[in-house]
Every structure is written in C-alpha cells, then in structure tokens.
Amino acid sequence: MATPLKIDFVSDVSCPWCAIGLASLNKALDAIGDEAEVSIHFQPFELNANMPPEGQDIGEHLTEKYGSTAEQQQQAREMIRARGAEVGFEFAMDKRGRIYNTFDAHRLLHWAGLQGKQKELKQALFKAYFTQGLDPSAHEVLIYLAGEVGLDKDAARQVLHTGEYGAEVREAEQFFQRHGINSVPAVIINERHLISGGQPAAVFERALREIMAKA
C-alpha cells in the first residue's frame, strides 16, 4: 500500500534555491514512484514583500540586503547555475537583471491550486523568471503563463484585476512565519517534518524514505 505524503512546499517565485529544490524534490519523488501517494501544495513566502512595482536591479538589491560584493555575487550565480544544471533546470543569468514583487504571482498560484494546476503554474513561473528573464509581477506575463498551463486566461485576468485571494495568501504567509519558517525553500512533510533548503535529490529521497518508514 502506498504511504501518504502531504508536502507543503513553502517558497517564493524569485528564489533560485526554490527552483533547484523543486527540481530535486521531483527527482526524489520519481525515484520513490508508486511507493508513496503524494499531494503537494505550494505555499506562499515573499522574500521581498516591500519590493515596489518597478522592482530593483539584482546587484544593487543583493548589495543592500546582504552586503555582498560583485565578485561574491558572481560566485553565487555560478554555484546556482551549476546546481540547477545537475537537476535539469536552466538558469540564464544574463537574462535576469531585476528582482520583482511576487504577491500577485502568489495570488494566481492560490487560484491555480483550486483548479488543480498549481504545480504546472509554479514550474512555469520558475522557468519564466530564471530561464527566460520575464517579469513575474507583470499581469500580462502571469495571464500568458496561466494559458500556457491550461488555465482559463480570462479567469486569470479577473483574479489579478480584482485582488482576489490576497487575504488567503497573507494568511498562509503569516501561518508559516508563526511556525518558524523564515527562509525558503522549506519542505514540510505530513505537517510534521521539515526539510530545509535546495537539497540534492538524494537527500530529499533519503529523508522521505525515512519518514515513510515511520508512518
């Protein structure tokens, strides 16, 4: 009998380690196969909740937030690119020059979850931002991506233009923050076990199998 695994994947659209973490988790789940009955829920987290609509230059942002030098940022970019390549995710660093507000993307993801297309939209958002260099705060980009994963574009436009699901996103963000989640990705299994960071697929698989063995 398959072991139930409820996975809450807490992450932000603009977090490169979240893209790596999801690709690694997917590989781990592929390896586990039908030994587990998996339900995955993407939960919102904003790394930069106060980011203005026009966004900010990434280099400037990283220097302000972390005090990192241009050389350190270049080293980090190369590490991220290499880790992404290991799990089949392409980072086109030359196409991504700004960081943006992601609140509307999280609202659309909440709606996509109600339509059974949350994972597809999440992966499309990661690709749009990190591989294609698109702006995930732009409504036209979000509506286009919704259509690409089989969601109704007019319904997506309605969600974005009315501010729908804003309260639900805020409530979820606050819930996970109250429970100690202050960095992402945070992968919570069966509401009890936490796996932090963009781990390699083997680490995810080992942790999941240990949890399954105790279930």
Side-chain angles (χ1 to χ4, degrees):
M1 183 184 291
T3 305
L5 287 179
K6 177 180 183 282
I7 301 176
D8 287 298
F9 191 95
V10 188
S11 62
D12 197 0
V13 171
S14 62
C15 162
W17 290 103
C18 297
I20 291 168
L22 180 56
S24 293
L25 177 63
N26 285 337
K27 281 185 171 290
L29 292 173
D30 285 346
I32 289 169
D34 58 10
E35 295 174 54
E37 184 181 328
V38 178
S39 62
I40 184 164
H41 309 270
F42 291 93
Q43 305 291 357
F45 188 100
E46 288 178 88
L47 288 167
N48 304 287
N50 298 318
M51 183 64 63
E54 69 274 13
Q56 185 182 19
D57 175 82
I58 283 182
E60 178 184 294
H61 173 75
L62 293 173
T63 299
E64 280 183 13
K65 190 170 183 178
Y66 303 110
S68 57
T69 66
E71 184 181 3
Q72 288 168 332
Q73 290 172 27
Q74 178 57 38
Q75 289 172 347
R77 282 194 293 270
E78 179 52 33
M79 182 193 301
I80 288 166
R81 188 204 60 74
R83 282 291 306 278
E86 288 174 9
V87 290
F89 187 90
E90 180 189 352
F91 286 95
M93 295 298 188
D94 57 324
K95 294 183 181 178
R96 188 174 65 100
R98 298 185 75 76
I99 194 154
Y100 298 97
N101 188 293
T102 56
F103 184 64
D104 283 349
H106 287 300
R107 289 198 298 112
L108 201 66
L109 279 163
H110 182 94
W111 168 72
L114 301 176
Q115 314 303 314
K117 289 279 189 179
Q118 197 180 40
K119 185 175 183 180
E120 290 87 346
L121 182 60
K122 184 73 168 186
Q123 294 184 148
L125 281 161
F126 279 148
K127 181 181 177 183
Y129 182 50
F130 291 112
T131 308
Q132 299 170 306
L134 300 177
D135 174 0
S137 70
H139 284 191
E140 62 269 25
V141 171
L142 293 171
I143 292 163
Y144 167 76
L145 294 175
E148 286 294 288
V149 300
L151 289 161
D152 185 289
K153 291 170 72 172
D154 289 334
R157 185 178 291 107
Q158 176 77 4
V159 168
L160 292 168
H161 288 177
T162 60
E164 208 170 353
Y165 305 117
E168 289 85 345
V169 168
R170 291 284 183 236
E171 185 179 339
E173 288 177 336
Q174 291 163 10
F175 173 85
F176 288 102
Q177 286 168 9
R178 283 198 307 271
H179 287 78
I181 302 303
N182 50 35
S183 64
V184 288
V187 185
I188 303 162
I189 314 299
N190 294 340
E191 300 180 350
R192 293 180 58 201
H193 309 279
L194 173 65
I195 309 169
S196 295
Q199 303 290 348
V203 173
F204 275 120
E205 184 183 351
R206 184 164 63 247
L208 291 172
R209 288 191 182 280
E210 287 174 4
I211 292 165
M212 290 164 63
K214 295 172 185 173

